[in-house]
Amino acid sequence: SYNGYDFKRSNEQWVTKIKTPLGNREYTFFLHPSEINVEVPQEIIQKIKYSPEITIVFNPNMTQLDYVDTARFEMGKFLSEYGKNVNYAVLQNTTGYDLPVANLFSNSLFLIYDEGNNITTGNNYINISVLDSLEYINYNEKIIYTLLGIING
């Protein structure tokens, strides 16, 4: 149990049920809330919460793309269920993905996955840049747990 939510282990993931306006909904996570060890500024949570359109963008030339793909699909699925209009793009041209290059001047909020060692935000973007690929999942799930009210933001 964590903050009044019961978690069970299933298929190597953590599962919990959450009451939503549409009834009870089951959510699965790679990490238990007690395993999350990153901080996400409240400003970032608020930007995601109040942005109707979010474009998930990533650098296609990163070395650990399998983790980025997992992270962006997990976040995209959650944001769609959360009522957001979700788009996908890449930071630069690539032959490996059939996605457009992000137009960072559009009205979307851009959630960018890249290599580096910090999480930053600006007027219309959130940049999650990490050196350890597992941190993409850590940041993702901290954001999702906070938006769901499981972790206090």
Side-chain angles (χ1 to χ4, degrees):
S1 180
Y2 186 93
N3 266 353
Y5 294 90
D6 291 322
F7 284 83
K8 66 180 182 189
R9 205 73 174 132
S10 176
N11 296 324
E12 298 185 30
Q13 291 189 311
W14 291 100
V15 181
T16 190
K17 286 190 178 163
I18 297 175
K19 288 183 181 147
T20 72
L22 303 173
N24 282 347
R25 167 92 172 72
E26 199 171 79
Y27 287 90
T28 59
F29 298 92
F30 295 102
L31 301 171
H32 187 274
S34 65
E35 298 172 315
I36 302 287
N37 60 7
V38 295
E39 291 301 318
V40 176
Q42 190 59 31
E43 174 188 7
I44 287 174
I45 301 297
Q46 295 303 310
K47 275 187 183 202
I48 293 171
K49 188 173 187 175
Y50 295 109
S51 294
E53 180 178 317
I54 298 174
T55 300
I56 297 174
V57 183
F58 66 101
N59 177 350
N61 296 320
M62 291 188 292
T63 53
Q64 299 285 326
L65 282 172
D66 49 343
Y67 288 99
V68 172
D69 286 341
T70 299
R72 66 189 182 90
F73 287 128
E74 178 189 38
M75 184 60 80
K77 180 178 182 287
F78 171 76
L79 291 173
S80 293
E81 292 169 357
Y82 198 68
K84 305 297 181 187
N85 179 12
V86 178
N87 301 300
Y88 296 91
V90 290
L91 281 176
Q92 55 207 36
N93 280 323
T94 178
T95 56
Y97 292 86
D98 187 22
L99 292 170
V101 173
N103 173 3
L104 300 177
F105 298 103
S106 76
N107 289 327
S108 188
L109 173 67
F110 293 91
L111 179 57
I112 303 167
Y113 295 98
D114 204 352
E115 290 176 318
N117 65 351
N118 59 8
I119 180 170
T120 57
T121 186
N123 190 37
N124 70 333
Y125 73 88
I126 297 163
N127 189 331
I128 299 174
S129 295
V130 301
L131 297 173
D132 175 358
S133 304
L134 290 172
E135 293 295 286
Y136 293 116
I137 306 299
N138 218 330
Y139 277 111
N140 254 22
E141 295 197 347
K142 172 74 176 225
I143 291 167
I144 294 169
Y145 277 134
T146 305
L147 287 168
L148 289 172
I150 294 171
I151 290 178
N152 297 325

